[in-house]
Structure formats: structure tokens, C-alpha cells
């Protein structure tokens, strides 16, 4: 597969990088959530594991789910919201409390649940990468609703294996969503009641998986098959801040803890480099800027 050369002329300003954990070759680290304690919870997609990386660098299997696990978000210091597919291939939503898994719902009308982010303290949004939609989950009522379905969230070619709506984060009164298959970064304005308005294209020709914001509104995104992390400023200016030689080959997701940006990857499983698939890693980038809070005070 030959990729479009979308970052050939993108300026580079690499951040200091350190590998803090390594996993066996063909480990697909998909997403991460970081607790106030500094514990990092990572979804090991293919085998349905949630792995905990402690601040001292120790790794433990925190929870085991039946099937595959994709998205993850912290809903309290000891509670995680996750999604994925069960053994029958049906999408599910589960809460993991102190390592114990409670499957709350199956969503037969969903196809590929992916990134999760809070909209409010009780409402979490989940991308559906193949339906071209976003679902909302209410942590109080334990109910799911279709929040938005739109062509800009969908694949332009339904035979493509690349996900469409993928990562999503709120910043201010806007929800940002990456459409990986269409190589778009979208903005969805929110009204006063936080209902979605018409999606708009913010940037074309960028290949983002998951991403995170710093408190200045700069977006840091994992480019997955482009083996890099990029920073996109509010005016759209893009800079490459990490590359394969820093250990981010096949990077899928990023998250801030303090002024550090943590990156998880799969070592290039989806599109291996010429040297072959590498061990999956968690890499810490010294961003030297604080991350924006995931949950805003409304």
C-alpha cells in the first residue's frame, strides 16, 4: 500500500521522547486513559485486555473482557467506561470498576465503536467508525442514544477497512472528530444545550486517529500509518512533533498527564515498516505544556 504524501512538506520540531513500556510484537494498543494518580489504562484491542501501567513502570493486566476492546475513558478515579465487540461480534459498552467488568449494554445497531470522550459529567460520546455516527451514553440511566449520524462521519468508500469517525474530543463549544478514512479533521459546533450542529471540515488531508488538546487549544494527534505525532494549532498550522525513530510507529492514541504527552502504538501492525512490525510501546513526549481538561465546567 502506497500512502498519499500528505506530510512531505510539514515542518518538524521533535519533542524529547522516552519509551516507558514495551509490549511483544503484534500487540495492538488502541487507546488510553490516565487517572489522577498517574496510572495509565490501555486497551489491548485484539485480545480484549485492559492493561495498567503504573507510574513506577510496572505493567499488570487490570481487566479481561470477552472479545475485543477499543475505546476507554475515565468516569471516576477507579471506574472506566469501555467499548468494543463481544465474542459474537456485537458491539458492547461496559464499566470496569477496580478491575471488575460489568457489561451494561450491547448495541446491535452499532458497527465499530471506537473513541470515547466526556461531553458532560454524565454523558459520554462514542464514535462509530463504520456506521458514520456518534452515540451518547448516559452514566446515570445506563442508556445509549444515537447522537449524530452524518456523511462527514462516514467512509467515502464502504469497502475500505480504514475507520471513519475515530477520535473525538470537546474543546470549548466545539466537538472535534477525526475521520481517518476521509483524511479529515471535523468541527461540530455545540449549542447552549450541547446538541450537535452541522459538522464542518476544519482540515483536509490529515490522517488522524485519536488526539488530545493542550490548554492553548493546540491539538496533538496520532497519525497511525504515518508513524508520527503531529501538532495542529488553532489556525490549522501543522508540525510533526514525533516520528518513528522515537518509538511511535503505528501510533493510535495520545493523552496528556501534566505537561507530558503519552503515546500508545501497535508497532506498525496495520501497515508494517520495511523492517517489519516493531514491539508496541508507550512513549512519553515532553510537551512542556499542560493538557486541556477532558471535562469542562459548564
Amino acid at each position: 500500500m502506497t500512502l498519499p504524501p500528505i506530510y512531505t512538506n510539514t515542518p518538524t520540531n521533535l519533542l524529547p521522547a522516552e519509551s516507558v513500556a514495551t509490549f511483544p510484537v503484534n500487540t495492538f494498543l488502541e487507546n488510553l486513559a490516565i487517572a489522577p494518580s498517574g496510572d495509565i489504562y490501555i486497551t489491548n484491542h485484539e485480545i480484549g485486555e485492559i492493561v495498567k501501567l503504573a507510574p513506577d513502570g510496572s505493567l499488570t493486566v487490570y481487566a479481561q473482557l470477552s472479545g475485543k476492546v477499543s475505546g476507554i475513558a475515565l468516569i471516576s478515579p477507579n471506574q472506566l467506561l469501555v467499548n468494543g465487540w463481544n465474542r459474537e461480534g456485537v458491539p458492547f459498552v461496559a464499566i470496569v470498576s477496580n478491575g471488575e467488568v460489568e457489561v451494561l449494554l450491547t448495541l446491535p445497531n452499532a458497527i465499530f465503536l471506537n473513541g470515547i470522550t466526556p461531553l458532560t459529567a454524565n454523558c459520554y460520546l462514542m464514535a462509530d467508525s463504520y456506521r458514520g455516527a456518534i452515540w451518547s451514553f448516559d452514566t446515570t440511566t445506563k442508556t445509549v442514544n444515537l447522537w449524530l449520524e452524518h456523511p462527514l462521519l462516514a467512509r467515502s468508500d464502504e469497502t475500505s477497512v480504514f475507520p471513519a469517525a475515530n477520535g473525538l474530543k470537546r474543546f470549548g463549544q466545539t466537538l472535534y472528530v477525526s475521520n481517518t478514512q476521509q483524511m479529515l479533521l471535523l468541527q461540530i459546533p455545540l449549542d447552549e444545550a450541547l446538541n450537535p450542529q452541522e459538522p464542518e471540515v476544519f482540515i483536509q488531508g490529515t490522517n488522524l486517529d485519536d488526539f488530545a488538546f493542550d490548554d492553548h487549544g493546540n491539538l496533538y494527534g496520532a497519525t497511525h500509518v504515518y508513524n508520527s505525532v503531529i501538532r495542529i494549532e488553532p489556525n490549522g498550522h501543522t508540525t510533526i512533533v514525533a516520528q518513528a525513530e522515537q518509538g511511535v510507529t503505528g501510533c493510535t492514541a495520545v493523552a496528556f498527564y501534566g505537561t507530558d504527552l503519552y503515546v500508545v502504538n501497535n508497532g506498525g501492525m496495520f501497515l508494517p515498516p520495511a523492517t517489519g512490525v516493531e514491539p508496541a510501546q508507550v512513549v512519553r513526549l515532553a510537551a512542556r505544556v499542560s493538557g486541556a481538561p477532558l471535562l469542562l465546567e459548564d
Side-chain angles (χ1 to χ4, degrees):
M1 182 187 297
T2 302
L3 297 174
I6 56 175
Y7 299 120
T8 301
N9 298 315
T10 302
T12 300
N13 184 14
L14 300 181
L15 298 173
E18 178 187 6
S19 177
V20 295
T22 302
F23 294 77
V25 169
N26 291 324
T27 300
F28 200 117
L29 304 180
E30 170 66 12
N31 246 306
L32 74 162
I34 306 180
S37 62
D39 290 322
I40 303 174
Y41 299 93
I42 306 163
T43 55
N44 188 346
H45 176 65
E46 296 287 342
I47 61 173
E49 277 185 357
I50 299 172
V51 180
K52 183 171 81 169
L53 172 60
D56 65 5
S58 61
L59 286 167
T60 54
V61 176
Y62 181 71
Q64 180 69 59
L65 292 96
S66 173
K68 298 183 179 182
V69 62
S70 296
I72 188 167
L74 202 72
I75 54 178
S76 73
N78 296 303
Q79 258 193 345
L80 299 163
L81 178 66
V82 299
N83 62 32
W85 296 278
N86 62 21
R87 290 191 188 278
E88 290 72 44
V90 179
F92 71 83
V93 179
I95 284 182
V96 182
S97 304
N98 296 311
E100 296 296 319
V101 179
E102 179 188 4
V103 176
L104 302 174
L105 293 166
T106 54
L107 281 72
N109 292 324
I111 304 176
F112 179 178
L113 297 179
N114 206 326
I116 307 175
T117 200
L119 180 66
T120 68
N122 299 317
C123 178
Y124 284 71
L125 301 179
M126 302 182 291
D128 190 331
S129 295
Y130 280 178
R131 177 158 174 170
I134 298 171
W135 299 85
S136 65
F137 174 75
D138 189 308
T139 58
T140 303
T141 62
K142 307 293 195 295
T143 54
V144 170
N145 290 290
L146 188 63
W147 190 74
L148 179 65
E149 191 166 18
H150 194 278
L152 284 176
L153 300 172
R155 291 170 291 176
S156 59
D157 174 6
E158 291 195 358
T159 66
S160 173
V161 296
F162 282 92
N166 197 338
L168 68 176
K169 293 290 186 301
R170 179 185 170 192
F171 190 83
Q173 286 298 109
T174 303
L175 183 75
Y176 290 77
V177 185
S178 60
N179 182 324
T180 309
Q181 191 273 330
Q182 292 199 48
M183 291 191 171
L184 300 174
L185 177 60
L186 307 172
Q187 293 177 319
I188 302 175
L190 304 170
D191 66 14
E192 289 185 2
L194 301 181
N195 296 310
Q197 306 305 294
E198 187 71 12
E200 306 162 355
V201 175
F202 177 40
I203 294 178
Q204 294 179 311
T206 193
N207 195 87
L208 293 178
D209 195 322
D210 194 30
F211 54 88
F213 283 97
D214 68 22
D215 59 9
H216 301 293
N218 300 301
L219 179 153
Y220 296 73
T223 67
H224 197 162
V225 292
Y226 283 87
N227 304 325
S228 58
V229 177
I230 59 174
R231 180 178 62 233
I232 301 175
E233 297 171 26
N235 63 7
H237 181 264
T238 299
T239 305
I240 297 170
V241 297
Q243 294 178 318
E245 56 265 30
Q246 292 166 288
V248 301
T249 298
C251 56
T252 51
V254 301
F256 272 98
Y257 184 70
T259 60
D260 290 325
L261 185 72
Y262 286 83
V263 186
V264 297
N265 67 42
N266 59 30
M269 285 175 64
F270 198 84
L271 187 63
T275 51
V277 179
E278 302 170 3
Q281 296 186 66
V282 181
V283 175
R284 180 170 57 222
L285 301 178
R288 303 190 184 101
V289 62
S290 297
L294 291 174
L295 186 58
L296 305 182
E297 298 294 334
D298 291 310

